[in-house]
Amino acid sequence: MPDSARNRHILVAAIGLLILFGLPVVVDLVTLLEISIYVVYAILGLSLGFIWGYGGILCFGQAAFFGLGAYTYAVTAINVGESTGPFLLAILLPLVFAALLGAMMFYGRISDVYMGVITLVVTLILFKFINSTANETWIVGKARLGGFNGIPAFPTLNVPGDPGALLDPEQFFYVAMVFLLLVYFGLHWLMTTRFGRVVVAIRENEVRAELLGYDIRLYKTAVFAIGGGIGGLAGALFANWGNFVSPGLFSLAQSATIIIWVIVGGLGTMIGPVVGAVLIQYITTLLGQQGVINNAFVLGGILVLFVLLLPKGLMPTLGQLLTRLRRAPRRPARRSAEQAEGGRDGH
Amino acid sequence: MATKGAVVLETRSLTMRFGGVVAVDNVDFELREGELRCLIGPNGAGKSTFFKCLTGQLLPTAGDVLIQDRSMLGEPPCRIAAAGIGVKTQTPSLFNGLTAREHIALAVERHHGRDTAAARIDEVIDRFNLGDLGRRLVGELAHGQRQRVEIAMVVAADPWLVLLDEPAAGMTHEEVDRMVALIHEINRNATMIIVEHDMQFIRMIGDQVTVFHQGAILIEDHVEVVLSDARVREVYLGA
Ligand SMILES: Nc1ncnc2c1ncn2[C@@H]1O[C@H](COP(=O)(O)OP(=O)(O)O)[C@@H](O)[C@H]1O
Ligand SMILES: [Mg+2]
């Protein structure tokens, strides 16, 4: 691992641990609960950041995995009355769903554009389907799907093995934050393995990777599945945060929002989608408290600004700036000396 | 190489059309074990297209490709490569975000276990003098160095059949000399096809030559015979 990468990991880990242990001490419970949702969104941002930025797969349907995770959790929790099994299933089901969808797309050798269309359509179908389940007949075991009304209440996270010991909001914050750190460093670790190296190779040059004997379809499917599982994890956490799930989770607006997080934060980095998610959701919350400008306009405006002015996103641009600043002290000195010389000769 | 082995690669009536263009036209081709075969012809003769049909990058319009008597038609490039075939495409292609060493690792690790891979990677790095370049991203390397990485990658995977499309393109004289020596060295352990349009280079390799013209095989013989053939001269001068 290059030194710069190690330093960056240490910095992120330090900030992460500081937030994990420090925040509950300094902010009140309401604020902590509000921050918890940013943490969940950060995980959701990472799920797309990995698929898109590392796998090179533009997915317009990340919300499908998010919604699937949330609903899987809600429905199963109602049925089994505790949280551990449902939580794991909420990761597993979107993972398997993504694996199947991915296998279909990648083994079918569908072009990038159609892949975008398919992920979009799948999300739309899930959204329409869930919306249409308001009728009494849509029941899974003990759980009513509820259609556009959503599912209003279900058992939330408990200490594994002890259904009576429900987590309080502070404990939920710890859980979400630990999952964020696990996902962040887990994905970084994954990229240092053989698997990760092949994934980068495929992103950089698909044909060459294939001519080395690597089955790119298999690797892309795996990346897609992992991203789907992480999206499901975010969904399960989201369901627990509000103790409420609704079809809006599957909406195209939700998918678009995730894409905006990744673009704003920086594609091809892990920290970018995290920062993008937190920043954009913070701005959205602030805007939500006023009624003057429509939220969608502001989000759209931010997206356009970034695409035009900071196409690489916040974090990569910031990184470049820092590198330049670090090198700066030597360069201006040399330049001023040259200028002085030029002045003497020229005039 | 005087004694040639069994036929290891064969095409039967291989044809590749792009719309109205017939890039490869009904080609029957045979390659025997241990051969060092040059595929030559003017630009646009269909060499690269023929090459891509062998590697699985293109699905031929008609005909068949057999490798060790097995039809490879419709197999993805990864399967063909995994059968022990090393490929260098005409356009330079590396992974810009990775170091030279990581390139070699990618080639080695597909078929080496964790325990033997590291030693093999070091061996290849040494053999191709990539030692000090190993840590650098390939995007920062000079053209000649990048080509060395490409060839090293091909060799690193221990292929028994090596297909190189224009391996000497854009090289300096010394680099070309070294490439010719390297090709002879690789040929000691592997059967080879070299696609090239530069006559000088072919002369230096000096073995069996197949001449492509307008998608079909014009003549197939030893390099000296081919180079003195009137039709070949005409094709090259006319192009
Ligand atoms: N992907 C493609 N689509 C359309 N035409 C192609 C394609 N690839 C090659 N051709 C055409 O096929 C012919 C043979 O090209 P190529 O195999 O690259 O020749 P060579 O490698 O001998 O220079 C040319 O006329 C070229 O324009
Ligand atoms: Mg060519």
Side-chain angles (χ1 to χ4, degrees), chain A residues 24-261:
Chain A
V25 181
V26 294
V27 303
D28 60 81
L29 212 56
V30 178
T31 315
L32 196 65
L33 197 62
E34 207 172 287
I35 290 170
S36 297
I37 194 60
Y38 295 156
V39 176
V40 173
Y41 284 145
I43 296 175
L44 183 56
L46 260 176
S47 74
L48 180 68
F50 178 62
I51 290 182
W52 187 14
Y54 289 78
I57 308 157
L58 175 50
C59 174
F60 284 112
Q62 203 62 19
F65 309 132
F66 184 55
L68 216 52
Y71 268 82
T72 303
Y73 179 82
V75 168
T76 345
I78 289 174
N79 278 294
V80 302
E82 68 93 45
S83 70
T84 311
F87 197 81
L88 294 177
L89 196 66
I91 299 170
L92 196 66
L93 192 84
L95 187 144
V96 171
F97 180 71
L100 291 175
L101 184 65
M104 190 192 88
M105 295 191 300
F106 304 125
Y107 283 82
R109 301 235 165 221
I110 285 168
S111 73
D112 289 354
V113 177
Y114 283 104
M115 227 148 60
V117 173
I118 286 176
T119 53
L120 200 97
V121 168
V122 166
T123 314
L124 207 59
I125 290 172
L126 280 173
F127 178 64
K128 290 269 178 210
F129 166 71
I130 290 291
N131 249 316
S132 69
T133 57
N135 194 299
E136 303 274 334
T137 55
W138 289 101
I139 297 173
V140 182
K142 295 184 223 162
R144 276 193 56 190
L145 289 182
F148 45 80
N149 297 313
I151 303 177
F154 39 82
T156 54
L157 284 175
N158 55 254
V159 176
D162 186 0
L166 294 180
L167 300 191
D168 63 32
E170 187 179 334
Q171 289 166 326
F172 177 78
F173 169 78
Y174 288 126
V175 170
M177 197 60 204
V178 165
F179 269 117
L180 174 59
L181 290 172
L182 279 179
V183 169
Y184 178 87
F185 286 106
L187 287 178
H188 263 302
W189 168 81
L190 188 66
M191 294 314 290
T192 65
T193 62
R194 286 182 179 205
F195 174 85
R197 185 152 48 216
V198 177
V199 169
V200 174
I202 290 172
R203 184 191 61 188
E204 297 281 324
N205 192 333
E206 216 171 286
V207 174
R208 192 73 194 90
E210 213 178 1
L211 287 174
L212 280 178
Y214 290 104
D215 193 338
I216 55 172
R217 306 166 299 182
L218 185 68
Y219 281 86
K220 285 190 157 191
T221 304
V223 167
F224 202 62
I226 293 169
I230 297 170
L233 166 70
L237 288 170
F238 179 89
N240 273 286
W241 177 78
N243 196 10
F244 176 66
V245 297
S246 71
L249 296 174
F250 289 98
S251 67
L252 293 183
Q254 182 68 58
S255 277
T257 307
I258 308 170
I259 291 176
I260 294 174
W261 295 341

Side-chain angles (χ1 to χ4, degrees), chain B residues 63-83:
Chain B
D64 203 352
V65 176
L66 295 102
I67 294 177
Q68 293 184 318
D69 294 325
R70 224 184 73 200
S71 173
M72 285 289 168
L73 215 59
E75 294 281 2
C78 63
R79 285 270 188 75
I80 295 176

Side-chain angles (χ1 to χ4, degrees), chain A residues 275-300:
Chain A
V275 172
V278 172
L279 198 70
I280 294 291
Q281 284 316 112
Y282 180 66
I283 293 173
T284 311
T285 314
L286 281 186
L287 290 171
Q289 289 158 2
Q290 52 85 45
V292 188
I293 348 166
N294 185 308
N295 236 332
F297 280 117
V298 178
L299 274 188

Side-chain angles (χ1 to χ4, degrees), chain B residues 16-19 21-24 39-52 58 90 165-166 195-197 212 214-215:
Chain B
M16 184 74 219
R17 271 189 219 104
F18 298 109
V21 180
V22 187
V24 174
L39 237 110
I40 71 169
N43 267 322
K47 305 180 297 292
S48 291
T49 305
F50 178 74
F51 185 92
K52 285 179 187 162
L58 287 173
Q90 181 176 347
D165 196 348
E166 304 207 4
V195 172
E196 189 54 62
H197 74 268
F212 265 69
Q214 294 179 347

